[in-house]
Amino acid sequence: MSRSYQRNPRYAPLGGTVVRGWEAAAGTLPPGPAVVAVDGPAALDWNAAAAGLRGALEARGVPVRVVDLRDAEADWATVLERTGDGPEADPYYLPLAEACVTEVYRALPTVETPAEGLLLVFGPGAALLEHDVLWYADLPKRYAEAAVTAGELPVGVNLGRHSAPGDLRRLFYADWPVLDAHRDAHAARIDRWLDLQNAEPASLDGATLRETLRHLAGGPVRTRPYFNSTAWGGHWAEERLGFAPQNGNTALGYELIAPTAGVLVGDGPQAEVELPFPLLCVLHPQEFLGREVHEAFGTSFPIRFDYLDTVGGGNLSVHLHPQERYMREQFGWPYTQHETYYLTAVGDEDARIYLGLQQDADLGLMRKQAVAAIERGEEMDVERFVQSHPAEEGQLYLIPAGTPHASGVGNLVLEVSATPYLYSLRFYDWLRQDTEGAPRPLPYEHAFANLDAGRQGEAVHRDLMQRPQTLREGAGWREELLGSLPEMFYEVSRVVLEPGSAGAPQNTGGRFHVLNVSSGAGVVVETADGRVHELVFAETLTVPASVGAYRLRPLGEEPVHVVTAYVRERA
């Protein structure tokens, strides 16, 4: 009998162990004289971290002097200018910042090795100062986002602004791109990784960190899932998977969204660290992504799997994603967000998927109604402009960039998408209000600038709601292509396994696969080198490119469906 959905998948460290507490971490440092740089994201309680480490060192009799790098921050106007966020910047979005972390400072201070004891330099960018030991203190991104949304950590969330309240726009488009690039550049020489998501830090030495990631880059690996609440969210994941949402619903399920995903490493819940998933791509790009994928996308993991839960919730906003050129020129991202919706479950017999334009839709009137909804609270006649389709369980809906779409009430959608997830351009949000009672802001001008008027009428059914085509089959299994378009760089297929069969042989062909069990109990993933990984209903798994041949063996007494996505081979 297979296990239930696992909310905290965990992998053993190789070469060392995870330790807890400042005292254990401090015990790994030399008594001095030395400079210890502690780097990390802006969204961290740096004062508490510095005090915890200093206290542990002084308790061991080690003299400590502390330098807070944030005291060297430039004035806020300068930080904004250097990160592309001046007075004329868009109020909704920014191009992804390409600044170096040094640009948020007036100048980096000069530090010298103390005569005795330790000089502790802490804050974002500390790795850039001369040092003898480099630590990285991390807080997974979901905590930073939640802190801004909930008003917790009211200061200290944004890079270069540690004395002012946090801002999500800055977090997404400035802080994360700048700090992730900085982290990745120094990942190969970090001496200790600290996870500060709990009251007591957990930490792992750098050699063990890298050896563990090297091993994980060669076999199936699952990231730690979590769900966020939103205004339209439902309750499927709460009721079926046991998630307890902080804000009342389980709208967004982060199965695998690479920039925010983490991999748990440790021997148990009392001794584990959460490592950023992107480090697998940064430290082992060809093994993990595959040579051709690495050449095309660098170290960006280009496919994401997430859930949109509207079962017992509301309609998503009517929106689209930027077309390729607009994404590149306006937002600075090299590839755009082509999407697909796979209907895992339909909880309402009247559930709908909104996709594509009506034949000869009056786009001028659509714009007028979008403005009227924002300015006067008037309803948009959505189905006058956008097609509404019955939600069909097991159907894949293709959503190329520029295509208006939304999931309606009563669906559990597995969204299989390209990864740049920060640019959803909304037309209409069903007159929902923000926390102040005002209409939620909608960047409709961006949406209309990217609207593909060719995605209309019967072509929507023909091109975007394709029927499965059998690619391969064997005894007790078949693989079906669910959807493919020339402009989309990835494809989505489905392996159907009959109970009791010997399973389906698969091969990465030199490019990673992402798997999700969409129906049935689950599968056992068996690799050619003898690794075994169980995957049950609703879970998602990455199979690195270097795995090559592997097999999917079904669990349970009913057919199992495994949705698979991969980057297409270049013509």
Side-chain angles (χ1 to χ4, degrees), residues 213-426:
L213 290 174
R214 184 201 62 76
H215 177 75
L216 292 176
V221 61
R222 182 166 170 249
T223 57
R224 185 184 206 175
Y226 65 98
F227 278 79
N228 268 352
S229 298
T230 72
W232 46 263
H235 302 275
W236 185 93
E238 177 186 6
E239 296 168 359
R240 183 70 186 267
L241 303 181
F243 282 91
Q246 291 185 342
N247 297 307
N249 62 67
T250 46
L252 287 165
Y254 291 70
E255 279 290 313
L256 174 58
I257 301 182
T260 62
V263 179
L264 278 177
V265 171
D267 297 314
Q270 300 306 312
E272 63 185 14
V273 297
E274 186 171 337
L275 302 176
F277 175 82
L279 290 182
L280 289 162
C281 305
V282 169
L283 295 175
H284 304 283
Q286 294 204 30
E287 297 89 340
F288 201 70
L289 298 167
R291 181 180 58 81
E292 287 190 4
V293 176
H294 176 43
E295 289 175 356
F297 296 95
T299 57
S300 172
F301 192 86
I303 294 177
R304 77 178 201 184
F305 275 44
D306 62 278
Y307 284 120
L308 306 174
D309 177 3
T310 62
V311 177
N315 297 323
L316 268 69
S317 62
V318 182
H319 64 287
L320 53 73
H321 298 284
Q323 298 200 49
E324 197 91 34
R325 181 175 177 180
Y326 199 93
M327 177 69 94
R328 186 172 59 252
E329 294 180 354
Q330 296 295 319
F331 299 137
W333 192 265
Y335 60 96
T336 195
Q337 188 171 340
H338 297 300
E339 286 188 342
T340 68
Y341 280 1
Y342 182 86
L343 261 291
T344 295
V346 178
D348 188 328
E349 63 180 12
D350 297 321
R352 314 293 292 181
I353 293 291
Y354 299 91
L355 177 65
L357 293 168
Q358 297 285 5
Q359 184 69 42
D360 300 322
D362 186 338
L363 301 184
L365 180 60
M366 184 180 180
R367 178 187 289 268
K368 289 179 181 178
Q369 289 198 10
V371 173
I374 296 168
E375 296 182 350
R376 299 189 296 276
E378 297 178 6
E379 290 186 0
M380 174 186 278
D381 186 359
V382 171
E383 293 189 27
R384 182 169 183 172
F385 312 109
V386 180
Q387 294 185 37
S388 171
H389 311 277
E392 181 183 343
E393 192 169 303
Q395 173 67 43
L396 185 78
Y397 302 82
L398 289 91
I399 312 170
T403 306
H405 63 283
S407 174
V409 176
N411 296 319
L412 180 73
V413 168
L414 175 65
E415 187 176 57
V416 181
S417 165
T419 299
Y421 62 98
L422 299 173
Y423 298 100
S424 292
L425 312 179
R426 298 176 177 87

Side-chain angles (χ1 to χ4, degrees), residues 386-565:
V386 180
Q387 294 185 37
S388 171
H389 311 277
E392 181 183 343
E393 192 169 303
Q395 173 67 43
L396 185 78
Y397 302 82
L398 289 91
I399 312 170
T403 306
H405 63 283
S407 174
V409 176
N411 296 319
L412 180 73
V413 168
L414 175 65
E415 187 176 57
V416 181
S417 165
T419 299
Y421 62 98
L422 299 173
Y423 298 100
S424 292
L425 312 179
R426 298 176 177 87
F427 297 99
Y428 181 62
D429 197 31
W430 312 93
L431 304 185
R432 278 189 283 257
Q433 298 179 336
D434 62 20
T435 55
E436 306 298 323
R440 297 173 75 197
L442 298 172
Y444 70 93
E445 292 289 2
H446 283 300
F448 280 102
N450 284 275
L451 181 59
D452 184 350
R455 299 293 182 185
Q456 63 170 270
E458 182 55 36
V460 173
H461 289 263
R462 182 188 67 236
D463 299 334
L464 307 187
M465 299 167 61
Q466 300 173 14
R467 308 312 296 178
Q469 303 173 45
T470 299
L471 296 173
R472 304 182 302 133
E473 57 187 331
W477 68 273
R478 70 180 183 277
E479 183 173 4
E480 306 167 326
L481 178 65
L482 296 181
S484 178
L485 287 173
E487 62 266 47
M488 295 175 67
F489 65 80
Y490 65 95
E491 292 179 340
V492 183
S493 67
R494 179 173 59 203
V495 179
V496 179
L497 299 140
E498 296 301 325
S501 75
Q506 300 287 93
N507 199 302
T508 62
R511 57 197 61 235
F512 70 87
H513 288 181
V514 184
L515 316 178
N516 175 276
V517 178
S518 63
S519 180
V523 293
V524 175
V525 182
E526 302 168 333
T527 68
D529 68 355
R531 300 195 201 187
V532 176
H533 200 301
E534 193 172 84
L535 192 70
V536 305
F537 174 65
E539 292 183 343
T540 300
L541 186 76
T542 302
V543 180
S546 61
V547 166
Y550 68 98
R551 177 174 292 273
L552 300 178
R553 184 165 52 81
L555 297 171
E557 299 178 357
E558 296 181 353
V560 178
H561 293 183
V562 180
V563 173
T564 305

Side-chain angles (χ1 to χ4, degrees), residues 140-184:
K141 286 187 172 74
R142 63 182 179 275
Y143 289 96
E145 184 176 353
V148 174
T149 303
E152 300 168 353
L153 284 177
V155 298
V157 173
N158 292 119
L159 183 63
R161 197 185 189 191
H162 76 278
S163 60
D167 176 76
L168 279 177
R169 175 175 164 276
R170 292 288 305 173
L171 191 72
F172 291 158
Y173 305 110
D175 300 359
W176 287 355
V178 169
L179 291 170
D180 286 358
H182 172 73
R183 174 201 67 201
D184 295 349

Side-chain angles (χ1 to χ4, degrees), residues 11-56:
Y11 300 90
L14 295 180
T17 60
V18 175
V19 299
R20 288 188 66 85
W22 287 115
E23 183 178 348
T28 67
L29 287 171
V35 176
V36 179
V38 184
D39 209 318
L44 195 69
D45 190 341
W46 280 107
N47 294 334
L53 179 55
R54 180 176 190 169

